[in-house]
Amino acid sequence: MSQAPYDPRAVANKLLDMAEAIGEGDMPITPLALQKLLYLVHFRFLAATGTPAVKGAFEAWRFGPVHPAVYKAFSDYGRFPITGRAKGKNLLTGETRELALPADKLLRKIIGQVLSNAGYLPAPKLVDLSHARNGPWDYIWGKIQSGDVVTRQIPDNVTLERGRYMVVDANKEACDSPDVEQTPNEYRTGSLRSSSSR
């Protein structure tokens, strides 16, 4: 039985573990790629179950959907492949702990499908995928640019309604974006990075 939504860092850890197993070391995942793959997993799980895969909300950042908790956990890797796993922290003692991986069979199946379909794509291609015209990110980003929203959050109903636009177009040229996400200006207070734990 599903216990979704799950801790987004735990789902990210599961995705990274499965990428290592499926890719046999030939599917390196950078923080930017992780965000896009995780968002695809979230969309597919939401479409299949009506329940979000992860707790919290993805946000529309410059290079696509980003889950802030996952960004915080893995941003120290910059543009390099992730080699470690996110950890939890006891707020009372400050001690770190391993995160329990979800044992959800459907989630595992969806992660496997996403990795098989998009896990080998370079980060710029994944950005193209997440930037699909009329897709969830495109819709919210347009509202941000026009000043029609006060938050970067991509609501699950928008993800569900517009996720179908995120399709792989093998003939599309890769965009010129770097393969690392930058913290939006309004978040650059120092608190997001300084409290990061891996």
Side-chain angles (χ1 to χ4, degrees), residues 9 66 72 83 117 184:
R9 300 164 304 167
V66 170
K72 181 178 172 182
T83 56
N117 293 333

Side-chain angles (χ1 to χ4, degrees), residues 14 19 22 45 54-55 96 102 116 120 126-127 137-139 158 162 175 189 196:
K14 182 77 169 176
I22 291 170
F45 192 87
V54 300
K55 296 175 183 174
T96 59
S116 294
Y120 290 101
L126 289 170
V127 171
W137 177 88
D138 184 58
Y139 177 76
V158 172
R162 296 177 173 273
C175 68
T189 61
S196 174

Side-chain angles (χ1 to χ4, degrees), residues 7-34:
D7 182 321
R9 300 164 304 167
V11 178
N13 286 349
K14 182 77 169 176
L15 188 151
L16 290 165
D17 287 350
M18 289 182 65
E20 275 188 7
I22 291 170
E24 298 178 348
D26 197 27
M27 192 186 290
I29 307 290
T30 64
L32 183 76
L34 175 63

